[in-house]
Amino acid sequence: MTDNEQSGRVDQTWATVKSAWRDQPVDRSPAEPSAMTHKADGFTRAIRRRNAIEYAAFGLVGLFFAAEALGVFGRAAVPMADLVIRTGALLVVIGAAAAAWQLHRRASAPPPGTDPGQALDVAADVVSFHRRALARQRDALNSVGRWYLGPFLPGFALMAFGGFLDPGRDPLVLALAIGFVAIVFSTILVLNRRAAAAVQREIDALDRAA
Amino acid sequence: MREPAHQNGRDQEAERETLYREASAGHGAAIARLAAGYEADPESRRDLIQDIHVALWRSFAGFDGRCALGTWVYRVAHNVAASHVRRHSRGRKVATTLDLDAVDDRPGPERRVGARLDLDRLLGLIRRLRPPDRQIMLLYLEDMDAAAIGDIVGLSAGAVSTRLHRIRKTLTRRMADAANDGGDDDGQ
């Protein structure tokens, strides 16, 4: 068989595939505009519910440290240490609120185009849209230390410092608590950096393809 | 005389409704096929179709006619579908990526395929393609030419033709291999 014959046969095969594709039975959704408005409102309600759960989780953290700030769990033996620890706990509460806000702003996105703010973005060409989505994801992962972990650091640091000023606290327990927080924070940081590197590889592949 | 603001708002809403009805009537079936190229699970596929329709409805508030209605519809549909796959692939077994560059470029296996091409198997392979290859292939199946595909995807017609040639060749070979092995290549 000559190259031309072979090429013709391949084209014919794909023409058959294309007709099979277009002739396949499809599940067509109801397409009434009123149904679309209702569905769009449903998304808004679902997003509000999801946000409420996020806020509740951060609220629990905030409540615990607010109780610490108010001295509910007992007071430090030295007034200066007590003041530092309680100020640190108050900063953790503020940090939790800041991290919750950032999480909501960055991660609680509805399906693209269903949010009025993104309605036009979703009509961009496919490569640009996909690249922007990946870049947003990479940047959020890379900066997780700043917007997710960072807000907690001043409060935790101040509480740790207050703990060292308080002679009533066991230094070993204090060191273990600091070590635990450091390990959790480092793990979150490393995992997110790795995920960001994987997304960057995907962006590079997309750029090469374009 | 200027029209009252509420009158203007009603006109815009009516125009949006007209656009949406036109898009839905003219491209509803293509949207459903496209969803099948992204999502294997029937229930998730129905959700995806709904998401695409909602995104279209929203987007028509800003449709300025600078591109054809069909181009706009396909862009929105593919962007929503690709995001759907990204969101839903978390926690699900991710299919091995079909890496076109890694495939052996042996000549001539196309002729072994003949009439054995099976649409489900082909869909499984297409679902494993990375963007924008998946979009290019799905638009090709809708019988679009390279220029029209390029408008939607954001690549030149030449780049689309090159990619299309490679994707088609690879898929044909994979189909032939799968048919010979009797294997199941369904993705996702």
Side-chain angles (χ1 to χ4, degrees), chain A residues 120-134 136 206 210, chain B residues 34 38 70-83 86 130-139 148-155 160:
Chain A
L120 291 182
D121 185 43
V122 80
D125 71 69
V126 170
V127 167
S128 309
F129 182 83
H130 184 54
R131 199 188 186 291
R132 273 206 299 274
L134 289 173
R136 270 198 301 271
L206 193 65
Chain B
L34 179 149
Y38 280 89
T71 304
W72 183 279
V73 170
Y74 280 110
R75 282 180 180 173
V76 171
H78 278 286
N79 286 335
V80 173
S83 303
R86 265 201 303 278
R130 282 187 168 179
D133 290 343
R134 175 161 25 188
Q135 282 95 347
I136 290 174
M137 197 58 207
L138 289 172
L139 292 167
I149 295 174
D151 253 4
I152 294 163
V153 176
L155 296 174
V160 169

Side-chain angles (χ1 to χ4, degrees), chain A residues 11 13 31 114 122 124 127 130, chain B residues 24 51 58 79 86 117 153 168:
Chain A
D11 285 345
T13 304
T114 54
V122 80
V127 167
H130 184 54
Chain B
S24 185
D51 287 355
R58 293 270 205 210
N79 286 335
R86 265 201 303 278
L117 279 166
V153 176
R168 232 173 58 146

Side-chain angles (χ1 to χ4, degrees), chain B residues 33-49:
Chain B
R33 287 195 292 269
L34 179 149
Y38 280 89
E39 180 57 74
D41 176 59
E43 202 171 318
S44 300
R45 194 184 304 159
R46 274 193 292 276
D47 287 345
L48 172 58
I49 294 170

Side-chain angles (χ1 to χ4, degrees), chain A residues 1 6-7 9-11 13-15 17-37 39-41 43-44 50 109-116 119-130 133-134 137 201-202 205-206 208-210, chain B residues 17 20-21 24-25 28-29 32-34 36-37 46-47 49-51 53-55 57-59 62-63 72 74-76 78-80 82-83 86-87 90 108-111 113-114 117 119 122-123 130-132 135 137-138 140-143 151-155 163 168 171-172:
Chain A
M1 190 185 289
Q6 190 179 313
S7 164
R9 186 163 180 175
V10 170
D11 285 345
T13 304
W14 278 100
V17 171
K18 279 199 223 175
S19 4
W21 168 260
R22 287 197 306 276
D23 293 343
Q24 67 179 298
V26 288
D27 171 21
R28 289 190 63 165
S29 291
E32 278 303 307
S34 57
M36 291 304 106
T37 308
K39 180 83 179 169
D41 291 345
F43 277 125
T44 311
R50 191 173 53 191
T114 54
D115 177 355
L120 291 182
D121 185 43
V122 80
D125 71 69
V126 170
V127 167
S128 309
F129 182 83
H130 184 54
L134 289 173
Q137 195 183 344
R201 283 195 292 278
E202 219 175 312
L206 193 65
R208 279 196 301 274
Chain B
E17 196 169 317
Y20 176 73
R21 284 189 191 280
S24 185
R33 287 195 292 269
L34 179 149
R46 274 193 292 276
D47 287 345
I49 294 170
Q50 286 280 308
D51 287 355
H53 278 271
V54 173
W57 167 248
R58 293 270 205 210
S59 75
F63 180 72
W72 183 279
Y74 280 110
R75 282 180 180 173
V76 171
H78 278 286
N79 286 335
V80 173
S83 303
R86 265 201 303 278
R87 277 201 317 279
R90 293 168 199 155
E110 289 89 347
R111 66 194 150 87
V113 180
L117 279 166
L119 204 56
L122 177 70
L123 265 181
R130 282 187 168 179
Q135 282 95 347
M137 197 58 207
L138 289 172
Y140 167 75
L141 290 178
E142 291 294 332
D143 211 18
D151 253 4
I152 294 163
V153 176
L155 296 174
R163 299 296 296 175
R168 232 173 58 146
L171 289 181
T172 309

